């Protein structure tokens, strides 16, 4: 297993600088952000322009990573393929196809995204919609030797009441999406606040994990007692602030990384464990963000065989 990180945490740092820093600080892989440059959502970046990448550009990216001894683990474009606006949905699907094309050119084994959700429809209606949409996407990827991986992020901020906005938050839904040819980009942090044991949930599905992310979480049980599982209801100016938990870099939260890495190893996973840095404490500027990545590396590197 190799240790990497998702480049979206440093959106303003060019990919050549990120690659050099990663190699100098003990990382061996990058999950490269590939959102469209026009996007304005938080935790996104455009370190690879999938919509304009040609063979020459792909060779430059591959040479850059090879120069620093790095693996490209995935292209990251986490958006809503079930968006309620038909025009926006079409834009998401078009960019997903461009990311798949770019992954094939540059040698990335996976493209990461979400199942998503139409918040005005039931779960059953959304699943039926997804069953019509995703087989074409996974077939397109398969023809190019690329796997589409779905992060089990809840995306509660996409739902007006803080309910799941990405229908991949539980093992029940993982089994459903595997039937569509999708794979799992496993992130334990989301399971913790959902009340799911992240190690027990992972164990039966390691063979379906094509990519894994490392993000930790810190919960406040007293605040949960006040707000309940969905989080703040009366005063919630930020749709992403539930009021009772927050993400942390690995080592500063509640995930048992020793047991989790051991479960991945025992199940035969030998891919990349990619740090997804969304820690509000170790963010705010480049130095603090890089310090957060250092904390994550010091936590995880000793657990990885080889």
């Amino acid at each position: 297993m190799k240790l990497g990180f998702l480049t979206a945490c440093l959106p303003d740092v060019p990919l050549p600088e990120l690659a050099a820093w990663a190699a100098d600080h003990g990382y061996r892989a990058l999950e490269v952000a590939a959102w469209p440059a026009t996007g304005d959502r938080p935790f996104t970046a455009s370190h690879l322009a999938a919509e304009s990448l040609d063979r020459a550009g792909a060779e430059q990216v591959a040479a850059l990573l090879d120069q620093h001894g790095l693996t490209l683990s995935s292209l990251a474009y986490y958006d809503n393929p079930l968006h309620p606006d038909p025009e926006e949905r079409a834009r998401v699907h078009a960019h997903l196809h461009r990311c798949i094309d770019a992954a094939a050119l540059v040698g990335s084994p996976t493209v990461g995204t979400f199942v998503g959700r139409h918040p005005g429809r039931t779960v059953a209606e959304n699943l039926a919609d997804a069953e019509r949409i995703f087989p074409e996407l996974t077939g397109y990827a398969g023809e190019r030797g690329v796997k589409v991986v779905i992060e089990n992020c809840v995306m509660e901020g996409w739902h007006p009441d803080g309910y799941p906005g990405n229908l991949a938050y539980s093992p029940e839904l993982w089994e459903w999406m595997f039937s569509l040819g999708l794979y799992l980009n496993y992130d334990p942090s989301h399971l913790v606040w959902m009340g799911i044991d992240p190690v027990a949930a992972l164990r039966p599905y390691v063979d379906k994990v094509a990519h894994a992310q490392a993000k930790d979480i810190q919960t406040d049980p007293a605040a949960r007692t006040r707000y309940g599982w969905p989080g703040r209801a009366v005063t919630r100016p930020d749709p992403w602030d539930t009021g009772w938990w927050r993400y942390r870099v690995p080592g500063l939260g509640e995930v048992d990384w020793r047991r989790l890495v051991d479960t991945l190893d025992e199940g035969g996973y030998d891919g990349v464990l990619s740090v997804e840095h969304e820690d509000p404490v170790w963010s705010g500027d480049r130095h603090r963000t890089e310090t957060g990545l250092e904390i994550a590396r010091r936590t995880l590197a000793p657990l990885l065989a080889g």
Side-chain angles (χ1 to χ4, degrees), residues 97-171:
H97 282 77
R98 300 296 77 77
C99 284
I100 292 167
D101 291 338
L105 278 175
V106 79
S108 172
T110 65
V111 168
T113 191
F114 294 135
V115 169
R117 180 177 187 171
H118 184 318
R121 294 178 178 170
T122 66
V123 170
E125 289 169 340
N126 273 277
L127 297 188
D129 200 7
E131 287 167 2
R132 290 190 295 270
I133 288 171
F134 277 98
E136 185 279 330
L137 187 71
T138 57
Y140 186 86
E143 291 170 359
R144 288 153 181 80
V146 176
K147 292 178 179 178
V148 178
V149 294
I150 302 294
E151 184 188 348
N152 56 292
C153 182
V154 184
M155 295 306 287
E156 66 286 348
W158 280 354
H159 194 285
D161 294 316
Y163 302 145
N166 173 38
L167 298 178
Y169 54 82
S170 67

Side-chain angles (χ1 to χ4, degrees), residues 64-233:
L64 170 69
L65 298 179
D66 186 62
Q67 172 190 348
H68 294 289
L70 296 171
T71 295
L72 174 53
S73 67
S74 191
L75 296 187
Y77 173 53
Y78 294 92
D79 214 311
N80 188 356
L82 298 179
H83 198 284
D85 181 340
E87 292 185 1
E88 179 61 22
R89 182 186 289 200
R91 283 192 289 268
V92 171
H93 282 265
H95 193 70
L96 271 173
H97 282 77
R98 300 296 77 77
C99 284
I100 292 167
D101 291 338
L105 278 175
V106 79
S108 172
T110 65
V111 168
T113 191
F114 294 135
V115 169
R117 180 177 187 171
H118 184 318
R121 294 178 178 170
T122 66
V123 170
E125 289 169 340
N126 273 277
L127 297 188
D129 200 7
E131 287 167 2
R132 290 190 295 270
I133 288 171
F134 277 98
E136 185 279 330
L137 187 71
T138 57
Y140 186 86
E143 291 170 359
R144 288 153 181 80
V146 176
K147 292 178 179 178
V148 178
V149 294
I150 302 294
E151 184 188 348
N152 56 292
C153 182
V154 184
M155 295 306 287
E156 66 286 348
W158 280 354
H159 194 285
D161 294 316
Y163 302 145
N166 173 38
L167 298 178
Y169 54 82
S170 67
E172 177 190 20
L173 288 165
W174 300 349
E175 292 178 358
W176 162 80
M177 72 185 196
F178 297 153
S179 71
L180 303 182
L182 297 163
Y183 290 81
L184 181 61
N185 184 11
Y186 175 75
D187 182 333
S189 63
H190 309 295
L191 296 169
V192 173
W193 77 267
M194 293 284 290
I196 299 172
D197 181 332
V199 175
L202 169 65
R203 189 169 289 116
Y205 303 106
V206 177
D207 65 327
K208 293 294 186 179
V209 175
H211 194 265
Q213 289 181 329
K215 186 163 73 248
D216 218 326
I217 187 168
Q218 182 178 36
T219 63
D220 181 346
R224 182 180 58 206
T225 296
R226 172 172 172 76
Y227 297 122
W229 173 83
R232 302 177 192 268

Side-chain angles (χ1 to χ4, degrees), residues 286-297:
R286 180 171 176 175
H287 173 70
R288 292 190 67 81
T289 300
E290 289 176 345
T291 301
L293 290 171
E294 274 286 274
I295 294 169
R297 184 196 60 78

